[in-house]
Each structure stands twice: as structure tokens, then as C-alpha cells.
Amino acid sequence: MSPASFVPAVSPLELAILVAAAFFAGAVDAIAGGGGLIMVPALLAAGLPPHLTLGTNKGQSLFGSLAATVRFARAGLVDWKGARVTFPLAFLGALAGAWLVSVIRPEVLRPLVLGLLVLAAVLVTVARPRAQGSPPGSKRGPWVAGIVALAVGTYDGFFGPGAGTFYIAGFVGLLGLSLARASADAKVANFASNIAAAILFSSRGAIVWSLALPLAAGQLLGGFLGAHIAVRRGDRVIRAVVLVVVLALVVKVARDLLQAR
């Protein structure tokens, strides 16, 4: 049975609301990660079943991460030397994480995810990064970033919520990058893991492209705008948005954990 048979009729007004949600999701995701907190509930509210919601969300969100990467690159914030390591490792990690779903139930990770989210908030709050745009001080920097990309990419393929935020926290905490630099490098890795997830979901027929492509327009604009705000407003705005996203993620994961009991 094709995905189209599960898709409810979406009116022009509902589609416009979904595109607006994609715009805001792309902007938030570009700054701090966590765009799925907006899009997943919106797609579920539109009547998509959960498996198509997750797939369609990944299909449209990769366009937002692409737009954000382009904007950060234009500002000179992307570490291309590091990206040669983080991009493929995040891609492979996402594939490995998707495979792990068949071995371990994602629900098992929820208590661990709660702890990691709190740790991410602490790192972003107390870390004292280098000046904006400065490179890591060690030749091992790209490989440390690669380990972060592999670990978070695996998490993204396996579980997902807050992957962009974890990328940022890892780059800030382990490499001492400014939040703007960390956001830029996080988008490169996030784009890679989104591509991997989209390929997997698409191969399983779990992306409703008739919805994902219109939403991609909102994601492209939102991703570019969010990255622009991050570039112009700098660490203070990024830190504030990251903390709001982490709080929302903590509430969501805690609620899911309680409901599973």
C-alpha cells in the first residue's frame, strides 16, 4: 500500500499553516536544533500517522539544514577541513543508528537522554568559548569533532530529538568553539545525518513527498533566516534559544518516559 493511501486530505489553508510551521522550525533548528519539536506535532495534527510523520519530517528538514549551511558558509563560519571528517562520519553514524533501532528499543534511551540534555544545557551555559570564528587550537580538532559527529549522528538515526543541540554542545564543550561557529559546524553534520535518514525513510516509502516538497520551501527560508540571525546576533541569542529548546526537549522526553510506564 502506498504512502498516499494513508495521507489525509490537506486543505490549502492547512498546507499554508504547515509551510509556516516549517519556516519557524527551520529557523529554530538553524540556531539551536530542535526543529522537530515544531514540525512533528504539526504533521501529526494534520492527520499523518506516526511513521509517515517521522519520515516526512526528515524529508523536509534536510532542506532547512542545507539552507542554514549555505548561510553559515557565506559568513565564513564553516570549518571545511573539519567538515571533511564530520560530514561522512555523521552520515555513517545515522545509518548505524537506524540499524540499531532493530536491535534496541529507543525507549530504553529516554532516561539517558534526559541526563544528556541537562549536560548539554550546562555546557552551553558555563562554557567559555574562544573568540568567534577562531579555529580549534589543536590538529586533533577535526577528529574530536568527527567523534562528536559519529556519536550524535548515531543518536540521530536511532532516536533523534535534540540532535542539533547535542552537536552544538559537543563542539562547544570539547573544542571550545564560539556558539556561532559550533552552530555552523553542527549544521554541516546535521545535514549529513538528515540525508542518511531521508534516504532510509524514502526507501521504506515513509516520506510523503507531496507534503515534504511544499514544506521544503518553508524550511529553506527559515533555515537561511535562522542562520542569518545566528551570524548577526551571535552567541547571546544562540545560547538563549538553545536553553529554550533544551527545556522543551526535557519536558517532551520526560512526558514520554512517564507515559511509557
Side-chain angles (χ1 to χ4, degrees):
M1 197 173 275
S2 67
S5 61
F6 294 98
V7 180
V10 176
S11 70
L13 176 59
E14 290 172 328
L15 182 59
I17 293 173
L18 286 174
V19 171
F23 171 81
F24 286 110
V28 169
D29 204 60
I31 297 171
L37 286 171
I38 298 173
M39 280 314 304
V40 170
L43 290 168
L44 287 171
L48 263 69
H51 69 293
L52 293 185
T53 289
L54 295 175
T56 302
N57 176 56
K58 282 297 184 182
Q60 57 92 41
S61 65
L62 69 89
F63 293 91
S65 56
L66 171 61
T69 299
V70 170
R71 179 63 184 92
F72 281 126
R74 286 180 56 184
L77 291 175
V78 174
D79 176 13
W80 292 112
K81 182 178 180 181
R84 291 199 294 268
V85 178
T86 58
F87 188 93
L89 288 180
F91 184 90
L92 292 174
L95 294 179
W99 173 79
L100 281 174
V101 172
S102 64
V103 181
I104 306 171
R105 290 185 301 111
E107 291 77 9
V108 174
L109 278 187
R110 284 196 178 117
L112 176 60
V113 170
L114 276 175
L116 290 174
L117 285 168
V118 173
L119 176 60
V122 171
L123 283 174
V124 170
T125 302
V126 306
R128 291 294 175 262
R130 300 180 182 92
Q132 180 167 315
S134 62
S138 168
K139 292 181 179 179
R140 293 177 305 204
W143 292 104
V144 173
I147 292 171
V148 173
L150 180 63
V152 179
T154 302
Y155 167 80
D156 195 15
F158 179 77
F159 195 75
T165 308
F166 284 135
Y167 281 123
I168 293 171
F171 293 153
V172 169
L174 296 178
L175 293 174
L177 299 181
S178 70
L179 282 165
R181 270 289 308 277
S183 293
D185 291 343
K187 279 300 103 185
V188 174
N190 208 189
F191 180 46
S193 55
N194 280 344
I195 291 173
I199 290 172
L200 287 170
F201 277 117
S202 184
S203 69
R204 297 168 184 167
I207 298 180
V208 183
W209 288 110
S210 60
L211 280 179
L213 291 179
L215 297 183
Q219 278 280 345
L220 283 167
L221 293 173
F224 193 88
L225 176 63
H228 182 76
I229 292 172
V231 169
R232 291 301 180 96
R233 298 296 180 180
D235 285 11
R236 181 177 296 180
V237 168
I238 297 172
R239 182 176 284 111
V241 177
V242 166
L243 292 177
V244 170
V245 168
V246 168
L247 177 61
L249 285 164
V250 166
V251 171
K252 178 190 182 302
V253 175
R255 184 191 64 186
D256 292 345
L257 183 61
L258 291 173
Q259 289 178 343
R261 291 180 176 176

